[in-house]
Amino acid sequence: MGTHTNQLTLKERYQIEALNGQSYSARTIAQRLHRANKTISRELGRCSPYCAESAHRQALQRRHGALKHTKLDFAMQVQIDLQLKNASPEQIAGRMRLERCTKAVSCSTIYRWIRRLNWRSRLPRKGKPYRKRASSEAGVKLIPERI
């Protein structure tokens, strides 16, 4: 029945509290809010008696305290650390794709880990931006009668 896949807002929680106080069923509340009835019944089951503010506070705490999924484990960290001595993150990600590693990651993911683990000094240019040459014709003036 529901069309939304994002989290409930505080406004929706107040509506749930009001409709629940009038002893509406979870299915009826879900139809009025255009949500899935499982979402509403799960929300009502989390705290009883239902209070919108405390339910919203608990939801925010759960969301901010949740661990995010990452492929970075100790073995991957050691492997990337060893490879950073000889290769750039682009080369490491490309090698993982070629070797069809079970946990192949992109170069942007490796850069994100480098930033999180403070490994900028292990990059080939030590994290400094690339600086272009002063002129594109640097060799022309140094070699006379160059073609």
Side-chain angles (χ1 to χ4, degrees):
M1 177 74 205
T3 57
H4 293 282
T5 56
N6 54 356
Q7 290 89 8
L8 291 170
T9 62
L10 184 59
K11 180 181 174 182
E12 290 175 322
R13 286 190 170 96
Y14 278 128
Q15 291 174 342
I16 291 170
E17 182 179 10
L19 294 172
N20 187 38
Q22 295 174 1
S23 65
Y24 280 97
S25 69
R27 187 176 298 274
T28 309
I29 296 171
Q31 288 172 347
R32 289 197 177 195
L33 294 178
H34 304 289
R35 291 285 191 155
N37 63 334
K38 184 68 177 176
T39 303
I40 304 301
S41 64
R42 201 180 309 125
E43 183 70 18
L44 290 171
R46 286 199 178 112
C47 57
S48 81
Y50 188 78
C51 175
E53 290 180 9
S54 66
H56 193 67
R57 221 177 306 114
Q58 287 176 358
L60 289 177
Q61 286 175 351
R62 274 195 311 273
R63 197 175 312 144
H64 291 298
L67 293 174
K68 305 293 186 232
H69 173 71
T70 180
K71 291 183 181 179
L72 181 64
D73 56 356
F74 185 72
M76 180 72 80
Q77 188 173 340
V78 169
Q79 179 184 3
I80 290 174
D81 186 26
L82 290 173
Q83 291 180 1
L84 271 177
K85 293 176 184 172
N86 301 323
S88 69
E90 288 86 1
Q91 292 169 331
I92 295 170
R95 175 60 62 188
M96 286 179 166
R97 266 194 310 275
L98 283 175
E99 293 176 354
R100 304 209 191 289
C101 292
T102 56
K103 287 186 171 183
V105 293
S106 66
C107 63
S108 60
T109 303
I110 296 173
Y111 276 116
R112 201 174 318 119
W113 291 341
I114 288 170
R115 193 177 317 114
R116 189 180 342 147
L117 297 171
N118 294 324
W119 283 359
R120 288 188 69 162
S121 62
R122 297 178 182 166
L123 289 172
R125 289 191 310 270
K126 311 294 185 230
K128 296 175 186 168
Y130 179 73
R131 196 177 67 174
K132 288 189 173 182
R133 287 182 164 184
S135 171
S136 62
E137 300 176 359
V140 174
K141 297 173 186 167
L142 298 176
I143 304 171
E145 299 178 17
R146 179 175 173 221
I147 300 175

